[in-house]
Short mmCIF file of all heavy atoms in Angstrom, two decimals:
data_model
loop_
_atom_site.label_atom_id
_atom_site.label_comp_id
_atom_site.label_asym_id
_atom_site.label_seq_id
_atom_site.Cartn_x
_atom_site.Cartn_y
_atom_site.Cartn_z
N PHE D 15 -3.18 5.29 6.04
CA PHE D 15 -2.38 6.50 6.23
C PHE D 15 -0.87 6.17 6.18
O PHE D 15 -0.10 6.84 5.54
CB PHE D 15 -2.72 7.19 7.56
CG PHE D 15 -1.82 8.33 7.87
CD1 PHE D 15 -1.96 9.53 7.12
CD2 PHE D 15 -0.85 8.25 8.84
CE1 PHE D 15 -1.16 10.64 7.42
CE2 PHE D 15 -0.01 9.31 9.15
CZ PHE D 15 -0.17 10.50 8.42
N ALA D 16 -0.49 5.12 6.87
CA ALA D 16 0.95 4.71 6.93
C ALA D 16 1.40 4.27 5.54
O ALA D 16 2.52 4.54 5.10
CB ALA D 16 1.14 3.58 7.94
N ALA D 17 0.54 3.56 4.77
CA ALA D 17 0.89 3.13 3.43
C ALA D 17 1.10 4.35 2.48
O ALA D 17 2.03 4.38 1.69
CB ALA D 17 -0.15 2.18 2.89
N LEU D 18 0.22 5.36 2.65
CA LEU D 18 0.40 6.59 1.88
C LEU D 18 1.71 7.30 2.25
O LEU D 18 2.41 7.81 1.36
CB LEU D 18 -0.79 7.50 2.10
CG LEU D 18 -2.08 7.09 1.40
CD1 LEU D 18 -3.24 7.99 1.77
CD2 LEU D 18 -1.93 7.06 -0.12
N ARG D 19 2.05 7.29 3.49
CA ARG D 19 3.34 7.94 3.90
C ARG D 19 4.50 7.18 3.40
O ARG D 19 5.53 7.79 3.11
CB ARG D 19 3.36 8.06 5.45
CG ARG D 19 2.43 9.06 6.01
CD ARG D 19 2.67 10.46 5.51
NE ARG D 19 3.98 10.90 5.94
CZ ARG D 19 4.66 11.85 5.27
NH1 ARG D 19 4.20 12.36 4.18
NH2 ARG D 19 5.85 12.22 5.72
N VAL D 20 4.40 5.83 3.29
CA VAL D 20 5.53 5.06 2.68
C VAL D 20 5.82 5.53 1.28
O VAL D 20 6.97 5.69 0.90
CB VAL D 20 5.19 3.59 2.74
CG1 VAL D 20 6.19 2.77 1.87
CG2 VAL D 20 5.15 2.99 4.13
N VAL D 21 4.78 5.79 0.53
CA VAL D 21 4.91 6.17 -0.87
C VAL D 21 5.33 7.63 -1.06
O VAL D 21 6.11 7.98 -1.94
CB VAL D 21 3.63 5.87 -1.63
CG1 VAL D 21 3.76 6.30 -3.12
CG2 VAL D 21 3.27 4.40 -1.56
N THR D 22 4.81 8.49 -0.16
CA THR D 22 5.02 9.92 -0.38
C THR D 22 6.19 10.54 0.31
O THR D 22 6.62 11.64 -0.03
CB THR D 22 3.73 10.71 0.07
OG1 THR D 22 3.46 10.40 1.44
CG2 THR D 22 2.56 10.27 -0.79
N THR D 23 6.75 9.85 1.32
CA THR D 23 7.90 10.43 2.04
C THR D 23 9.15 10.46 1.17
O THR D 23 9.32 9.55 0.35
CB THR D 23 8.11 9.75 3.38
OG1 THR D 23 9.09 10.43 4.12
CG2 THR D 23 8.63 8.34 3.19
N ARG D 24 10.01 11.43 1.38
CA ARG D 24 11.19 11.51 0.56
C ARG D 24 12.34 10.77 1.12
O ARG D 24 13.28 10.31 0.43
CB ARG D 24 11.60 12.99 0.45
CG ARG D 24 10.67 13.82 -0.44
CD ARG D 24 11.13 15.20 -0.59
NE ARG D 24 10.31 15.95 -1.51
CZ ARG D 24 10.52 16.00 -2.81
NH1 ARG D 24 11.51 15.36 -3.37
NH2 ARG D 24 9.72 16.73 -3.55
N ASN D 25 12.42 10.61 2.44
CA ASN D 25 13.52 9.95 3.08
C ASN D 25 13.28 8.45 3.12
O ASN D 25 12.27 8.01 3.65
CB ASN D 25 13.68 10.53 4.54
CG ASN D 25 14.95 10.05 5.21
OD1 ASN D 25 15.57 9.12 4.73
ND2 ASN D 25 15.34 10.73 6.24
N PRO D 26 14.19 7.63 2.59
CA PRO D 26 13.94 6.20 2.54
C PRO D 26 13.93 5.53 3.95
O PRO D 26 13.26 4.56 4.16
CB PRO D 26 15.09 5.61 1.71
CG PRO D 26 16.11 6.70 1.72
CD PRO D 26 15.46 7.98 1.90
N VAL D 27 14.68 6.10 4.88
CA VAL D 27 14.62 5.58 6.27
C VAL D 27 13.27 5.83 6.91
O VAL D 27 12.67 4.95 7.55
CB VAL D 27 15.80 6.16 7.09
CG1 VAL D 27 15.67 5.68 8.54
CG2 VAL D 27 17.11 5.83 6.47
N HIS D 28 12.72 7.04 6.68
CA HIS D 28 11.36 7.34 7.18
C HIS D 28 10.33 6.45 6.49
O HIS D 28 9.35 6.00 7.17
CB HIS D 28 11.03 8.80 6.98
CG HIS D 28 11.88 9.71 7.78
ND1 HIS D 28 11.87 11.07 7.59
CD2 HIS D 28 12.75 9.48 8.81
CE1 HIS D 28 12.70 11.68 8.46
NE2 HIS D 28 13.26 10.73 9.19
N ALA D 29 10.51 6.17 5.21
CA ALA D 29 9.56 5.29 4.51
C ALA D 29 9.60 3.87 5.13
O ALA D 29 8.58 3.26 5.27
CB ALA D 29 9.95 5.22 3.04
N ALA D 30 10.84 3.41 5.48
CA ALA D 30 10.92 2.11 6.12
C ALA D 30 10.26 2.06 7.46
O ALA D 30 9.58 1.08 7.81
CB ALA D 30 12.40 1.72 6.27
N LEU D 31 10.34 3.15 8.23
CA LEU D 31 9.68 3.20 9.55
C LEU D 31 8.20 3.24 9.39
O LEU D 31 7.44 2.64 10.16
CB LEU D 31 10.22 4.37 10.33
CG LEU D 31 11.67 4.26 10.73
CD1 LEU D 31 12.13 5.56 11.40
CD2 LEU D 31 11.92 3.06 11.60
N TRP D 32 7.65 3.96 8.38
CA TRP D 32 6.24 3.96 8.13
C TRP D 32 5.78 2.58 7.65
O TRP D 32 4.69 2.10 8.01
CB TRP D 32 5.87 4.97 7.01
CG TRP D 32 5.81 6.37 7.52
CD1 TRP D 32 6.67 7.38 7.18
CD2 TRP D 32 4.89 6.99 8.41
NE1 TRP D 32 6.32 8.55 7.87
CE2 TRP D 32 5.20 8.30 8.61
CE3 TRP D 32 3.74 6.46 9.08
CZ2 TRP D 32 4.46 9.17 9.46
CZ3 TRP D 32 3.04 7.30 9.91
CH2 TRP D 32 3.41 8.61 10.08
N LEU D 33 6.61 1.85 6.95
CA LEU D 33 6.32 0.46 6.58
C LEU D 33 6.23 -0.44 7.76
O LEU D 33 5.44 -1.35 7.78
CB LEU D 33 7.32 -0.04 5.51
CG LEU D 33 6.96 -1.30 4.77
CD1 LEU D 33 5.63 -1.12 4.06
CD2 LEU D 33 8.03 -1.65 3.79
N VAL D 34 7.08 -0.17 8.76
CA VAL D 34 7.00 -0.94 10.02
C VAL D 34 5.61 -0.75 10.69
O VAL D 34 4.99 -1.68 11.18
CB VAL D 34 8.14 -0.59 10.97
CG1 VAL D 34 7.89 -1.07 12.35
CG2 VAL D 34 9.49 -1.05 10.45
N LEU D 35 5.16 0.52 10.69
CA LEU D 35 3.84 0.79 11.22
C LEU D 35 2.72 0.06 10.40
O LEU D 35 1.80 -0.45 10.99
CB LEU D 35 3.56 2.28 11.24
CG LEU D 35 2.19 2.68 11.76
CD1 LEU D 35 2.04 2.28 13.24
CD2 LEU D 35 1.99 4.18 11.63
N CYS D 36 2.91 0.00 9.11
CA CYS D 36 1.98 -0.76 8.27
C CYS D 36 1.93 -2.23 8.67
O CYS D 36 0.85 -2.82 8.78
CB CYS D 36 2.37 -0.69 6.79
SG CYS D 36 2.01 0.89 6.01
N PHE D 37 3.08 -2.81 8.88
CA PHE D 37 3.14 -4.21 9.28
C PHE D 37 2.48 -4.47 10.63
O PHE D 37 1.77 -5.47 10.84
CB PHE D 37 4.59 -4.72 9.28
CG PHE D 37 5.17 -4.89 7.90
CD1 PHE D 37 6.52 -4.63 7.70
CD2 PHE D 37 4.41 -5.27 6.83
CE1 PHE D 37 7.03 -4.73 6.39
CE2 PHE D 37 4.96 -5.39 5.56
CZ PHE D 37 6.27 -5.17 5.35
N PHE D 38 2.71 -3.55 11.62
CA PHE D 38 2.11 -3.73 12.93
C PHE D 38 0.62 -3.64 12.85
O PHE D 38 -0.13 -4.40 13.48
CB PHE D 38 2.65 -2.68 13.89
CG PHE D 38 3.88 -3.17 14.62
CD1 PHE D 38 5.14 -2.57 14.36
CD2 PHE D 38 3.86 -4.20 15.52
CE1 PHE D 38 6.27 -2.99 15.00
CE2 PHE D 38 4.99 -4.66 16.18
CZ PHE D 38 6.19 -4.05 15.89
#
């Protein structure tokens, strides 16, 4: 779910925060 949000979100800062969740 977090990886999909990284790709689909429009805001790059939000994408980076979703990527942090992916890493965790």
Side-chain angles (χ1 to χ4, degrees):
F15 174 72
L18 287 174
R19 290 299 297 154
V20 168
V21 178
T22 57
T23 189
R24 290 184 175 271
N25 190 342
V27 177
H28 292 170
L31 294 176
W32 283 111
L33 194 57
V34 167
L35 179 62
C36 286
F37 288 145
F38 271 112

